[in-house]
Amino acid sequence: MNNYPLLNLFWTMLWFFLWIVWLFLLFKVITDIFRSDDLGGWGKGGWLIVTLLLPYLGVLLYVIVRGASMGKRSAQEAQEREAAFKAYVRNAAGTASPEPKRGSHVDDLTKLAELKDRGALTEEEYQRAKTKLLV
């Protein structure tokens, strides 16, 4: 019943964990090969073949030879994603430019409310104009 000592279990878990980490690194390297703009088609094909035919050695060589540019590409992609997200949030919030836009819906609604408060518009006219602005 005690054929598998606890130390062997720890070694098995360690090797399994290292294998999972290597798989993540392999996928990261393969995606970096395809994402790299400074490699041509033959270069990408060569690195892909080396990485797939000699998996451990190929990944290790790629990280040694192209690790610095791999990190730069990852950082640049993260900055581009962050800039795109910020632009999306500004666009969705209606503040695409730092200064307020002239003639925006908020300004028009404010003017309509002021006209209604002064009595220049009836409630029915106000609702029609507001509906036109919001549609």
Side-chain angles (χ1 to χ4, degrees), residues 58-130:
V59 169
L60 181 64
L61 282 174
Y62 188 85
V63 171
I64 290 171
V65 173
R66 298 186 46 88
S69 61
M70 186 175 169
K72 289 176 186 175
R73 277 188 295 280
S74 292
Q76 180 183 3
E77 182 181 354
Q79 289 174 348
E80 289 171 359
R81 284 184 184 174
E82 184 179 357
F85 175 73
K86 286 181 179 180
Y88 171 76
V89 169
R90 279 193 302 273
N91 189 21
T95 57
S97 62
E99 48 189 63
K101 294 191 282 188
R102 304 219 188 280
S104 69
H105 293 305
V106 175
D107 294 336
D108 292 340
L109 285 172
T110 305
K111 290 176 187 174
L112 280 175
E114 288 173 1
L115 287 172
K116 184 184 135 211
D117 291 342
R118 286 189 295 187
L121 291 176
T122 64
E123 180 66 32
E124 185 178 308
E125 292 170 329
Y126 171 73
Q127 290 300 329
R128 270 196 313 249
K130 185 170 103 173

Side-chain angles (χ1 to χ4, degrees), residues 21-89:
V21 168
W22 174 80
L23 274 178
F24 278 115
L25 186 59
L26 175 69
F27 290 129
K28 180 75 173 165
V29 164
I30 289 174
T31 55
D32 188 67
I33 289 171
F34 287 110
R35 185 177 55 188
S36 177
D37 290 333
D38 59 338
L39 279 177
W42 288 104
K44 289 179 182 184
W47 274 114
L48 192 62
I49 289 171
V50 168
T51 309
L52 294 178
L53 290 181
L54 304 169
Y56 296 107
L57 184 63
V59 169
L60 181 64
L61 282 174
Y62 188 85
V63 171
I64 290 171
V65 173
R66 298 186 46 88
S69 61
M70 186 175 169
K72 289 176 186 175
R73 277 188 295 280
S74 292
Q76 180 183 3
E77 182 181 354
Q79 289 174 348
E80 289 171 359
R81 284 184 184 174
E82 184 179 357
F85 175 73
K86 286 181 179 180
Y88 171 76
V89 169

